[in-house]
Amino acid sequence: MQDTQAGNADFNRLWWHSRRGMLELDVLLIPFLEEAYRDLDKDDQARYNRLLSCEDADMFEWFMQRSRSDDPDLQRIVDIILARVQPD
């Protein structure tokens, strides 16, 4: 029971950190968190957590595909999120 409560608290924290105040980011991050995050492996979940520490302006550029992150781990999670909303 305690693990479930801790897991819910972690998820709720992620949910609030995923709300960026920029609509273009919110419409990508919140649905991704709610619908896909739990299915990621632990490494990709850690990458998502790191992504949330980035500046909104940087994330906006990456998600709009105007630039790419210099960090391959961050670019991997950006690509995963983009692939979810832009399937082949």
Side-chain angles (χ1 to χ4, degrees):
M1 177 86 168
Q2 236 175 357
D3 287 341
T4 302
Q5 289 175 342
N8 286 339
D10 289 341
F11 187 82
N12 290 339
R13 180 188 56 78
L14 282 174
W15 194 89
W16 283 106
H17 286 271
S18 296
R19 289 209 42 176
R20 306 306 288 202
M22 183 183 288
L23 181 62
E24 295 86 351
L25 296 178
D26 289 351
V27 299
L28 288 171
L29 297 176
I30 297 294
F32 179 81
L33 177 71
E34 292 174 342
E35 299 166 11
Y37 175 82
R38 289 182 175 109
D39 295 330
L40 297 175
D41 65 36
K42 294 296 181 196
D43 290 336
D44 286 335
Q45 287 181 352
R47 288 179 182 102
Y48 184 82
N49 277 288
R50 282 194 52 223
L51 178 68
L52 295 180
S53 68
C54 296
E55 295 291 327
D56 288 358
D58 291 334
M59 284 196 287
F60 180 79
E61 293 293 312
W62 300 335
F63 286 123
M64 297 301 114
Q65 299 177 309
R66 294 179 182 163
S67 67
R68 294 179 61 82
S69 173
D70 293 333
D71 183 321
D73 282 335
L74 289 175
Q75 189 58 51
R76 174 178 165 76
I77 195 65
V78 167
D79 290 341
I80 290 170
I81 294 168
L82 286 174
R84 186 180 170 280
V85 295
Q86 298 175 341
D88 292 333

